[in-house]
Structure formats: structure tokens, C-alpha cells
Amino acid sequence: MATKGHLSMPVLWLVLCIQVSLGVDELRLTNGTGPCSGRVEIKHEERWGTVCDGDWTIKDAEVVCKQLQCGYAVQALNEASFGQGSGPTWLYRVVCRGDESTLWNCSHAGWGVFSCPHTLDTGVICSGFTGLRLTGTDTACSGHLKVKQETWVTVCFSHIDFKTASVICNELECGEAVDISRGAHFGDKPELIWQEKFHCLGNETHLAHCPRTLLHSKTCSHDATVVCSGYGGYRLANGSTTCSGRVELLHGGTWGTLCDFLWDLPAANDLCQQLDCGVALQIPDGQSFGKGNGSVWNGTFSCKNNGSHLRDCSVSVLGRDECPAGKDARVVCSGCPGSRLVNGTTCSGRVEIRHGGTWGSLCRSHWSLKAANVLCHQLSCGYAKSIQTGDDFVDGDGPVWRDAFHCDGTESCLWDCAQVTLGNPSCSAREAATVICSGLAESLRLSGGESRCDGRVEILLHGIWSRVLDDDWDVKDAHVVCRQLECGIAKKAYYLPRSKRGTGVVGLRSVQCAGNETQLMLCKTSHSHTVPSGVAEDVGVVCSGSRQIRLVNATKRCAGRVELYHDGIWGTICDDNWDLLDATVVCKQLGCGHAIKAFDSAHYGEGSGQIWLDDVNCTGAESDLWACPARALGHHNCQHKEDAGVLCSEFLALRLANGDDCTGRLEVFYNGTWGSICSNRMSQLTAVTVCKHLNCGDGGEIARDFEYGRGSGPTWLDHIECTERQSSLWQCQSDPWNAQSCDNRAEETHISCTGRKEATSPATFAECPNSTSCSDREKLRLIGGEYGCSGRVEIWQQGSWGTVCDDSWDLADANVVCRQLGCGSALSALGEAAFGEGTGPIWLEKVHCKGTELSLWDCPAKPLFGKNCDHKEDAAVECSGVTETTASPTRADPPRRPATGSTRLSTPIILCIVLGALLCLVLAILAGQIQRARAQEKGSRLPYDPFSEAVYEEIDYNMTKEKQGITGLSGTYSESSKTKAQFYSGDSDEENGPGATQEVSPLPENALEDSYDDATEAPGPKDAPFSEQNDQEIIGIPEESNRNKDSRTGWSPTVSGNRTSAADRLSSPALEDAGYDDIAEL
């Protein structure tokens, strides 16, 4: 065996004699490239045999390699990988733990108990050595190559090549191979020479994994010398983030502090960019990041003029105390790659961003103060003082990128903000974005809040942002913070809850301010090192400058419920007097273009908590919402069912139309309208980006057969070009928005994606089928019929499609559905799941349309809270299929395909028409006879009952008004009339069931004045509004703005139980102020 080649001959003969005399078992590897690879064979009872195992593992192989002193196991092989052996199968199904001294000490079935075919013989490849190193120089990453068996042995120059050197340098974590060369003449020392030649491919992780061949020559003219690039990487250690700290270098597999006598800000900047940590902000003084516990490497970053790579620098080992004080490399990087300021100072200048490897100026067309604040913050330059700098800083060349960054103001990095490039106008070099930040001297900030003017107080000491702790924090201290940050006055001083407390270094504690100081450091303070940390609590501030607005509960930006942040609390705005002028101010303030629509009645869902504004009355010219006339902040007479919302022109949505979710004609929603996208210069990569954007898989192609029809709206965009870096279509370059981008409809884009959207669980106010701005028509569909004009009725509500219960479902309801879908009039109103049972929620029951409404959302209806219905009662309709034009506020839908004669003039329908005509004729004759009989009877009794006919007509008149919302019930009504009347009175079936004691009182026609439009909303114990039952929402949201919203819901102003009667309310002095429209709050 190869391992015994190192023993003296007498000792070897002694061992062999003992083995023979005692019958000791032996192990070997045969038919491999050397003594440390091959088929496993065992000599037992003086006969060589094999090992059979269908489940031969690396642990089994590890025992073999260790027993043969061949290093560690590289591979465990079976199925006669080194050829079939001969003789008996000595061991079968060996199971080793890996720490056994011999293979037969492992668990096995016994010696020779099973005769196994030699096609299952096992094999092993061992490393042959247990380590490698480069020796003879002052660095661990260059020198003479040696590998360790029992002792360190030399590898000959002829036994390796450059690919092998690359594997060696990689295994030693010494970077890349630079060179291999002949070393000193070695001579004839076969016991100290590695006997195998390496044939590496270059991609192996360890030298032992490379293929090898055994060389029979025992001579070696020169040993191999390998030179690696000298380092394995660098990192920043002991900092508060991964992008700040002491610079450490991985050299020869060991991390050590970098001692650099030439360390400066340009070198630090190179390092920050290589670490993808943005730009270097500063080199802290002193021992900001402590001393390392490992080695100290002496080197110079950027030591070559043609590059900035530590691997190009010579590195030598120093003792731990040999690096002079202050020469260990330290840096604080911004932590945000791809953005910087040029042509000015460290904290002012022209804004540049990086796409790929190309830097360019940022266009200022969408540059905002919030985005500038984020950039200043990430550069540790405080906050943005101005973005209006005239022509200062704008000189420069290179590309001008058209990206728009829509920031909340609390992001850590500019690239964390929502980015939109699609459709943005081009800019000249003179139209670049600029900013002047407050400066590096800014040593105070508020973090973790909703803006730069509220949050946890942090102070910059010795280059590190540190916590401020106090046990007596008050508004005087907070005033100083707000004044220093130019955030107005303090509105609140508070302690942070435990979950939001900081975990970093403590900078100050026990702050005591008089309130008139200009900086926090001018107050009486105690530094953290004098008092143990954790004694006091983290402190926070809310300044008046934190006030802002946002849009929520929309799927994307520029549409949603309007919310105002004031005094550290988010609250909503009441829809009283809310109109397009108010919405215009909101859209302009948020950088979302102009207002398309002002929504009321919690169109984007009900908010919670505070209602900040009511009776807002903007002119449209105000710069922010709180500049508009309105009631005092927090004073209102509203509920959250009246929360206001807006849709702005720059709200964007994407869809594939006329196909399914993942195939169709590509359309974008912009400026309140769906429009097509042109295909000129569009690549397959753009189609793939569209599919990823729509969650339709990672593949797609542009369809050329135009099978998804022609669009009818504007053609918004052309020349869209996406790159592999973009995951959203919004980030792609294109021509500017233009309603006539295509020369003709043949240029419209049709796309087919390879994937399908995954089913997601419904979420409250999730995305509408197309967008949050979709119309009522888009939230209604018919399933299971033909051409979309017959089928099961389904509506989109609270993030999912659901059905309608067939209780009270009649032709009037069906007529509204058909007309809303552009499908003509209703032929029939069907129940009992005529088109199959649906899935998901059952959103409505007892829909009561008059038949003249333009939308199903205008009909009174009840949300289904109980289990009165299941899907076997799903409502359905059959429409005539004749296209009718209906109004849509945001889009022009293509007309529905009309029904063909084969489907609408089938034999059963024709037969029904004929029979119906005959029946009508018979009924007309009977009606005529009855009329004559009544006339005769009337004439005979006229002198005795002159008022009978008038009474009859008055009752009929009252019944007609009953359908329109008058709540008095007559005991003489039919059962169907009672059902309708109960609904309009606000009484459910359960409330009028056995045991119900509810009283119904009719009201005079003028009982409700316009100013008291919410008198119906005072909830009794059984009669809570929809918004209070299971967090559901009334779906009846009329398109036009109105101030009598509740009159459309179908609920009656009559009440019982704890409710006040309408007559009492009308006589109450509390109702004299016509401005209070929510009587429930009195």
C-alpha cells in the first residue's frame, strides 16, 4: 500500500509477518488512479474479495480513506465504477458512523453471508492528502505548493497547470491565480514527492476533487510555485450597519484588520462602491469601531493606478501592535448604491443615478422634496433645504435618466422608493435634478417615524448614530429638537414603547433643556459612558412639520382613501362637500397629476380612528390640503362610512384585455382611461417583463395574429424598451404619454404569457379585476352562459368574486344587470343555480331593483350575513344580447357580441312566444268583461257610496309610493308586497318573525329635510349599519357625488326599540343646525 511506502523495510516486513501469522484482515483500493482511489477490496481468511452495498455512503467511504491514511473521502461509488472484481463478497450492507478505525468494525450482516453480483462492487475516491499550503514567502497566498499526507510533501511543477493553480488559490481563499512557475531544483527525494498529476477543470472547489493520474517516475526536477492575487475579500466589521466599520481583509484564509498608511476618502469611496454600499460618507476618528482580535495586514488600497482592487496590492503580516494609532482603515458608507451628488459639495449638487454601470443625471420633471430628503438622509447630509437651485450644478455630460422616484420620505435609500420611468418626458442636460442638503454638520435626526420630523431621537457622536435616553423627557426638550431640524414646533414629546426602542450605542441621556436652545447639545446632558445604559428610555418627538397626506387602500399609488397625518396620528377626511377641486389639491400635493374623480362614501374602504377634516372647501389653487378652508382639525359630524377618496391622473394599471388574465391585448390605465400600447420596437424581453408584472409567469411572447381584437380607446404608449434588470413595466423606457401613439390599430400589442396567475386568498379592498378605479360595470359579470350575456350573476366585492342569492330575484333586477352589461333587456330572471353553482362568498340577498336603475349598485340590497342562502340558490339572468350604450366614467368598453338567431330564436322560445300571445288575448277578453261588470255595479250603487272609488285609488297610490320608500305597511297587502315593504322599512325577516315586537310608524312625505340626510343611521340594538356588521361594506356606491347617500341604500328611517321616532327627532331642538348630517352622534 502507498501509505506503507514511508515505513522502513524491516518494520514493513515485521508488520506483514504479523498479519500473515495472525490472519489479520487487510484493505486496499484497486484499479484506480493511485493507492487512494479504486474498488474496495478486503483480504479475509487469506483471500481477497469485494464489498457489496446498494446504499454505500460517504460515511462508509470516510472510514476506508482514514484506514488507508488517504486523507478524507471525496466520493463514495457503487455499481462497479472501477470495474468488476472477483472472488467472494466479504461484506454486504455496511453501515458506518464515520469514526470507526476499520471498515469491518462498522455494522454489517457478517462475513460472506451473502453472495452479491460483482456489478454492485463499491469504490472510493480519497483526497490522498489532508491539507495544502503555499510556503516560503511572507504571505500565505504565494509560495511553494505542498500537500500533507503523514508529512508535508512537495508537488512537482510538471504535475500542475494554471487551472490547477486557480483551484488552489480558490481553496485557500487567496483570490485568483496570478502565475505558476518552476521553483528550485528538487533532486531525487521520492519519499517527499507527490506521486500524482492533477487534471483540474478549474471549477472545482477543492484540489482533492480534481481528476488525477498516477505517475511511475519518482523524480522531480523543479517544485511548483503558485502566486495568487493575495486576498480573499474584504468586509467592514464592528459597525452599526454592514456598510460601516473597520476594514478587514481576508488574506490566506485569515481575516485581519487592514493597516493602510495612505487611507483617505477617495480610497474609502472605492471600497464602498465595490462593497455595493454606495459612497463613502466619512472616515471616523479614533477607535470608533474598536480593535480587531485577529491579524493585522499591511497594505494599501488602490495601490495601482489602473484599478481599485486590494488583490493587486502586496500584503504582509504585521504583529497586532505594529500598526500605528489611527492607521487602521475605517469608513462609514452611505449603504445605498446607485445615487450620488456631483458638481457641488459633499452635500449639494446635481443628482446622478446609476443604471447598470452607467451614471447619468436625473431629470427634474418629477423630482420632489420628499425624494430629495431621502437622498440627503442616505448621504448623511441631513435633510433637503432646497431643490430649486436655478442653473447651479447642472453643467455636465452623459445621459439624463427619466426615472421618477415617488417617496414617502421615510425610506432609507432613494432606490427604495417607488420608481416609474414609463411615459416620462425626456430632459435636456440643463433640466437635471439638483438639491442643497442641510449639510454634514447635521448631528441630529428622527428615525422610525412617518416623516423626517417625527420619530425616535438619534444623535451623531464620533461618526456613529447613537440613541438618546431620558427619564424626564418633556416638550421643552422636544422644542429644541424640532427647532434644530427646522421642523416647526413640538407637538408631542413621548417615550417609545419597548418594541420600538433602539438597540445601538447610547449617546446622550438625562437631557435638560430650557426650551430656547438652538441645538440639543447646548442643553444640559450626560454622556452615556458616565451612566450605565438602559437606565432611562428612548425618547421621541412629533414636530408640526410632520404633517402630510397619503392615499391608502388602493393597490398602487395615486388612488385611494385620503388620510392626513397630524399630531403623530393618521386620520381620514369626511366627504361632506368633497368635490373635484378638493381632489385636485390632493393629487397635486402628492405629485400624482390632476384629479380624475373625487369619491365619497368610503369608496376605497372605511378608515379607522380619527377623522381630521370635514367640510373641506378648496379652490384648487392651494399647495396643500390643510391650506383649504375647512372645519377645525378634529371637528366633524361624520362616520368612517363617509371617508373621502380620490383617483388621480397618474394612477397606473396594466391588463391583458379580451383574453384571460394572462393572454390578451395589452392595455394600460392612465389619465382615467384604458388605452392600448403600440408594439413598435418591442422585444420579447418586454413581453416577458409584462408577464412578470402581471404575475403570469417568467415567459411570454408577442402574439402576431391579433386574435384578441382591436381596442377602442386611446393608444397611450409606443417604443417601450425593457432590460433584464426591470421586473415591472413601469420601470421601462418609452416615448412620452400620447393618446395617439399608434399610426393604426394594427400596431396594438397582443401578448401571450406562459404562466397563469396563482390563486390568492381574498383581502379586504384588494385589487379590482382591472384596477381600483374600475367602474361598476367592470365589477359585474355573467358566468356559465354564452357571449357574456347570460349566466350566473357574480359581483366583485372586497377583493373577490361572489354570487347573489335568488331570494326576491325578479325580472326588474335582471333588467338592471343586462342593461349595465350592455346586453339589452332581460329575457328571464333565473334562480336555483340555473347556470351552475358558484364558489366563494354570497355577497347579496334580497336585491330590490325598480328596473330603471343604471347600475346594480344603485338598487337596494342586503348583504348576506347569515346562512339563509347557499350556492344552490345562485341568481342568474338571460339577456336579449342586443347591445345598448351605457355611461361609464372611466372607459369605453367594447360592445358585447349580440346573440345569434340559433341561440335566441330556438324552438322552445318561439313556442313560448306563441302561447304567451294566446294567453294575453284570452286575458284581455276576460279583463274587458270584468270591467263592464264593474261599471254596471258602480252605476247601480253610486248614490249610496260616492267615495268608494276615491278610496280605492288612494290605496293604490300609497302602494306605489311604498315601492319608492314610504314605510307604512298595510295589513291588506299580498305576501309579495309585504316582503318588499319589509325591506324598505329596514326590517329583516328575522326581525319580523315570531316574537318580534317592532313597531312601524309611517312618516309624512316631508318628514326628512335635505339637511338631515343621515337621520337613518342611529343604530338600535338589532339594526346596526352594514359597516358595523362583520366589517362588511354597503356595495351601493353611486357614481355621482351626492349628499343624500343613505337614501339610496334602501333602509327606512323608521326605527324601534331604543331608536327615537322620526316625529320626535323633527321636533327636537338638537336638529336645528342643518350642517349636522349624522344624528347618531348627538
Side-chain angles (χ1 to χ4, degrees):
M1 296 185 294
T3 55
K4 296 174 184 177
H6 301 294
L7 302 176
S8 63
M9 291 302 295
V11 175
L12 177 61
W13 279 111
L14 178 61
V15 171
L16 290 175
C17 291
I18 294 174
Q19 286 180 339
V20 171
S21 63
L22 297 178
V24 175
D25 300 314
E26 297 179 42
L27 179 70
R28 70 183 181 187
L29 297 176
T30 63
N31 213 33
T33 60
C36 291
S37 66
R39 182 177 58 250
V40 181
E41 291 190 353
I42 298 176
K43 186 178 182 181
H44 180 69
E45 295 179 350
E46 301 298 317
R47 189 177 178 189
W48 286 100
T50 61
V51 176
C52 176
D53 197 340
D55 191 24
W56 183 249
T57 67
I58 197 72
K59 286 187 176 181
D60 307 324
E62 193 70 42
V63 173
V64 171
C65 294
K66 183 171 61 176
Q67 184 177 347
L68 294 175
Q69 297 183 358
C70 279
Y72 58 90
V74 175
Q75 278 185 289
L77 304 168
N78 52 24
E79 297 184 352
S81 297
F82 291 97
Q84 297 183 23
S86 59
T89 301
W90 281 128
L91 294 181
Y92 173 68
R93 290 193 175 178
V94 179
V95 179
C96 299
R97 297 186 308 272
D99 58 354
E100 293 88 348
S101 59
T102 64
L103 184 63
W104 39 87
N105 286 344
C106 300
S107 172
H108 58 85
W111 290 99
V113 297
F114 184 80
S115 181
C116 186
H118 285 291
T119 56
L120 297 178
D121 287 346
T122 61
V124 170
I125 298 177
C126 303
S127 66
F129 54 88
T130 57
L132 65 93
R133 69 182 182 184
L134 300 175
T135 64
T137 65
D138 60 353
T139 172
C141 289
S142 64
H144 305 287
L145 176 61
K146 293 182 180 292
V147 294
K148 187 177 184 180
Q149 293 180 308
E150 292 179 357
T151 60
W152 287 99
V153 298
T154 297
V155 179
C156 292
F157 172 74
S158 60
H159 293 181
I160 68 169
D161 56 15
F162 194 83
K163 290 182 178 178
T164 303
S166 295
V167 175
I168 293 168
C169 293
N170 181 62
E171 183 173 351
L172 291 176
E173 296 184 311
C174 283
E176 302 172 359
V178 175
D179 191 24
I180 58 172
S181 60
R182 290 179 175 87
H185 180 75
F186 197 73
D188 295 329
K189 299 178 182 178
E191 72 279 5
L192 300 179
I193 298 174
W194 178 254
Q195 297 296 315
E196 293 178 322
K197 183 174 183 177
F198 295 95
H199 303 279
C200 299
L201 299 176
N203 56 2
E204 296 86 353
T205 57
H206 294 81
L207 182 63
H209 295 174
C210 296
R212 292 167 285 183
T213 56
L214 180 65
L215 298 177
H216 300 289
S217 173
K218 305 291 184 180
T219 62
C220 178
S221 59
H222 296 83
D223 68 347
T225 298
V226 176
V227 179
C228 302
S229 61
Y231 86 111
Y234 36 85
R235 69 185 181 186
L236 299 176
N238 210 34
S240 57
T241 69
T242 57
C243 289
S244 64
R246 185 181 63 254
V247 182
E248 290 191 345
L249 170 67
L250 180 61
H251 184 67
T254 303
W255 285 103
T257 299
L258 177 65
C259 185
D260 189 346
F261 287 80
L262 301 178
W263 187 250
D264 56 12
L265 200 61
N269 197 59
D270 289 338
L271 178 61
C272 290
Q273 292 192 37
Q274 288 194 42
L275 291 174
D276 206 24
C277 281
V279 297
L281 301 178
Q282 60 180 158
I283 298 176
D285 297 328
Q287 298 295 325
S288 302
F289 303 111
K291 287 187 176 182
N293 297 321
S295 303
V296 178
W297 301 111
N298 184 23
T300 301
F301 194 84
S302 300
C303 57
K304 287 189 177 181
N305 294 329
N306 59 354
S308 301
H309 301 288
L310 276 171
R311 62 171 176 245
D312 298 328
C313 308
S314 59
V315 178
S316 59
V317 181
L318 295 178
R320 288 192 55 194
D321 298 327
E322 293 185 40
C323 190
K327 297 303 179 182
D328 55 322
R330 305 172 305 279
V331 65
V332 176
C333 305
S334 67
C336 301
S339 52
R340 66 187 183 186
L341 294 176
V342 299
N343 263 22
T345 67
T346 304
C347 292
S348 65
R350 186 179 74 248
V351 181
E352 285 195 347
I353 61 173
R354 187 183 70 223
H355 277 288
T358 305
W359 286 94
S361 300
L362 178 66
C363 182
R364 70 181 176 207
S365 62
H366 285 78
W367 185 238
S368 68
L369 199 62
K370 278 190 175 182
N373 271 325
V374 173
L375 179 60
C376 292
H377 171 76
Q378 79 174 47
L379 296 175
S380 281
C381 286
Y383 56 90
K385 294 179 72 72
S386 174
I387 58 174
Q388 306 296 332
T389 62
D391 292 334
D392 294 341
F393 318 125
V394 297
D395 291 335
D397 49 18
V400 180
W401 301 116
R402 294 182 287 169
D403 303 69
F405 293 95
H406 301 285
C407 304
D408 295 327
T410 58
E411 294 86 353
S412 300
C413 303
L414 187 63
W415 287 97
D416 293 339
C417 302
Q419 175 206 356
V420 177
T421 306
L422 193 75
N424 289 344
S426 58
C427 288
S428 68
R430 307 292 298 178
E431 297 174 302
T434 59
V435 64
I436 297 176
C437 305
S438 59
L440 285 173
E442 193 62 56
S443 60
L444 192 69
R445 72 180 182 186
L446 300 175
S447 65
E450 296 290 334
S451 70
R452 76 171 191 88
C453 290
D454 70 296
R456 183 177 65 248
V457 181
E458 295 183 352
I459 191 165
L460 186 66
L461 294 176
H462 309 298
I464 299 176
W465 285 106
S466 308
R467 300 158 62 195
V468 176
L469 306 184
D470 201 342
D471 51 11
D472 190 24
W473 184 251
D474 59 23
V475 73
K476 290 182 180 180
D477 308 323
H479 273 310
V480 176
V481 172
C482 295
R483 181 182 299 112
Q484 183 175 347
L485 294 176
E486 296 187 16
C487 283
I489 62 173
K491 305 294 289 186
K492 183 186 297 184
Y494 64 95
Y495 296 106
L496 273 81
R498 185 177 299 274
S499 61
K500 294 185 178 181
R501 292 178 188 171
T503 57
V505 178
V506 177
L508 295 177
R509 72 176 307 278
S510 299
V511 179
Q512 295 179 354
C513 300
N516 56 3
E517 295 88 347
T518 56
Q519 293 187 4
L520 191 66
M521 287 296 291
L522 299 178
C523 302
K524 295 180 180 179
T525 60
S526 297
H527 287 273
S528 60
H529 64 270
T530 61
V531 180
S533 62
V535 173
E537 300 181 76
D538 289 84
V539 297
V541 170
V542 177
C543 304
S544 61
S546 64
R547 187 164 53 183
Q548 58 182 306
I549 60 171
R550 68 181 181 185
L551 300 178
V552 298
N553 260 348
T555 56
K556 305 174 185 71
R557 56 178 297 273
C558 294
R561 181 178 64 247
V562 184
E563 291 194 353
L564 171 65
Y565 189 68
H566 177 69
D567 283 357
I569 300 172
W570 283 105
T572 63
I573 295 173
C574 182
D575 64 7
D576 290 347
N577 297 324
W578 186 253
D579 58 20
L580 203 61
L581 292 175
D582 308 321
T584 295
V585 174
V586 171
C587 294
K588 182 172 58 177
Q589 184 176 349
L590 292 173
C592 287
H594 61 273
I596 298 295
K597 192 169 183 63
F599 289 104
D600 54 18
S601 303
H603 180 81
Y604 289 105
E606 296 184 11
S608 60
Q610 184 64 262
I611 298 176
W612 280 125
L613 288 178
D614 191 11
D615 290 326
V616 179
N617 188 19
C618 302
T619 64
E622 293 86 354
S623 59
D624 45 53
L625 190 63
W626 40 87
C628 299
R631 292 194 185 198
L633 281 163
H635 292 260
H636 64 89
N637 59 340
C638 302
Q639 297 177 4
H640 282 295
K641 63 187 177 66
E642 301 169 80
D643 287 341
V646 302
L647 168 65
C648 304
S649 61
E650 292 196 12
F651 172 82
L652 299 176
L654 194 68
R655 71 178 181 184
L656 293 173
N658 263 25
D660 56 27
D661 286 341
C662 293
T663 59
R665 185 180 63 254
L666 183 60
E667 291 189 346
V668 62
F669 187 87
Y670 173 74
N671 200 28
T673 305
W674 285 103
S676 301
I677 291 177
C678 315
S679 59
N680 296 310
R681 291 214 310 253
M682 185 176 290
S683 65
Q684 184 178 358
L685 184 57
T686 300
V688 169
T689 304
V690 169
C691 295
K692 289 180 179 178
H693 184 126
L694 294 172
N695 295 320
C696 286
D698 295 328
E701 59 184 15
I702 301 173
R704 300 296 180 185
D705 52 3
F706 304 104
E707 61 180 297
Y708 304 112
R710 297 191 172 203
S712 58
T715 53
W716 278 126
L717 291 169
D718 198 5
H719 299 137
I720 298 179
E721 297 180 20
C722 301
T723 67
E724 293 179 350
R725 298 187 302 273
Q726 286 138 359
S727 59
S728 165
L729 190 69
W730 311 145
Q731 300 167 1
C732 301
Q733 301 281 339
S734 75
D735 288 349
W737 295 103
N738 183 352
Q740 297 178 340
S741 294
C742 298
D743 292 334
N744 54 70
R745 292 288 173 181
E747 296 180 3
E748 291 178 324
T749 305
H750 297 240
I751 288 180
S752 176
C753 301
T754 58
R756 290 293 178 266
K757 289 187 178 179
E758 296 181 1
T760 57
S761 57
T764 303
F765 307 113
E767 186 176 2
C768 175
N770 302 313
S771 76
T772 52
S773 62
C774 61
S775 64
D776 288 351
R777 179 168 174 173
E778 291 174 308
K779 293 186 286 187
L780 178 68
R781 70 182 183 185
L782 300 178
I783 298 296
E786 298 178 355
Y787 306 122
C789 285
S790 64
R792 180 178 62 254
V793 179
E794 293 192 355
I795 62 173
W796 179 265
Q797 170 80 346
Q798 297 188 13
S800 65
W801 287 103
T803 61
V804 177
C805 182
D806 63 7
D807 290 355
S808 303
W809 187 253
D810 57 21
L811 204 61
D813 308 320
N815 257 323
V816 174
V817 170
C818 294
R819 186 184 304 108
Q820 184 175 345
L821 291 174
C823 288
S825 58
L827 297 176
S828 57
L830 306 172
E832 297 181 350
F835 285 90
E837 296 183 11
T839 58
I842 301 174
W843 286 123
L844 295 175
E845 67 168 336
K846 296 183 181 177
V847 179
H848 292 266
C849 300
K850 297 189 291 289
T852 58
E853 295 88 348
L854 294 178
S855 167
L856 187 65
W857 273 254
D858 293 337
C859 300
K862 276 208 170 186
L864 184 62
F865 297 133
K867 296 186 177 180
N868 299 331
C869 286
D870 54 36
H871 282 297
K872 67 182 179 181
E873 300 172 78
D874 285 341
V877 300
E878 279 191 328
C879 307
S880 66
V882 178
T883 302
E884 297 180 2
T885 303
T886 59
S888 177
T890 60
R891 57 169 290 186
D893 284 19
R896 302 284 181 177
R897 188 182 306 180
T900 62
S902 61
T903 58
R904 295 304 174 195
L905 296 178
S906 59
T907 301
I909 293 178
I910 294 174
L911 183 60
C912 288
I913 292 173
V914 173
L915 293 177
L918 292 175
L919 180 59
C920 288
L921 181 60
V922 172
L923 291 176
I925 295 171
L926 291 175
Q929 293 176 352
I930 293 172
Q931 186 66 27
R932 285 196 296 271
R934 285 184 174 178
Q936 294 174 0
E937 182 180 355
K938 177 180 177 182
S940 63
R941 67 181 183 180
L942 183 59
Y944 305 99
D945 192 6
F947 301 106
S948 60
E949 187 63 26
V951 171
Y952 176 83
E953 290 175 355
E954 180 64 20
I955 292 174
D956 184 65
Y957 171 74
N958 284 339
M959 289 180 68
T960 303
K961 294 194 66 175
E962 190 68 24
K963 173 72 173 178
Q964 298 172 350
I966 292 182
T967 59
L969 296 180
S970 171
T972 62
Y973 288 173
S974 64
E975 289 302 315
S976 62
S977 297
K978 285 182 179 181
T979 302
K980 296 282 187 178
Q982 286 172 358
F983 177 79
Y984 280 94
S985 67
D987 300 329
S988 65
D989 294 340
E990 294 78 12
E991 291 167 341
N992 290 288
T997 61
Q998 205 164 19
E999 178 180 332
V1000 179
S1001 302
L1003 290 176
E1005 184 175 350
N1006 61 349
L1008 294 180
E1009 299 290 339
D1010 288 343
S1011 302
Y1012 305 101
D1013 58 318
D1014 282 317
T1016 64
E1017 296 301 324
K1022 295 183 179 180
D1023 221 354
F1026 286 170
S1027 59
E1028 299 176 14
Q1029 301 185 28
N1030 298 334
D1031 265 350
Q1032 300 279 350
E1033 177 198 17
I1034 292 181
I1035 67 164
I1037 302 176
E1039 289 294 326
E1040 68 275 6
S1041 176
N1042 67 85
R1043 303 300 165 202
N1044 297 309
K1045 295 174 290 297
D1046 293 337
S1047 65
R1048 302 190 181 196
T1049 64
W1051 295 106
S1052 170
T1054 59
V1055 293
S1056 62
N1058 291 335
R1059 293 186 177 186
T1060 306
S1061 70
D1064 292 340
R1065 286 197 299 272
L1066 289 172
S1067 62
S1068 172
L1071 301 182
E1072 291 179 1
D1073 183 1
Y1076 289 86
D1077 59 337
D1078 276 285
I1079 306 305
E1081 298 193 0
L1082 293 179

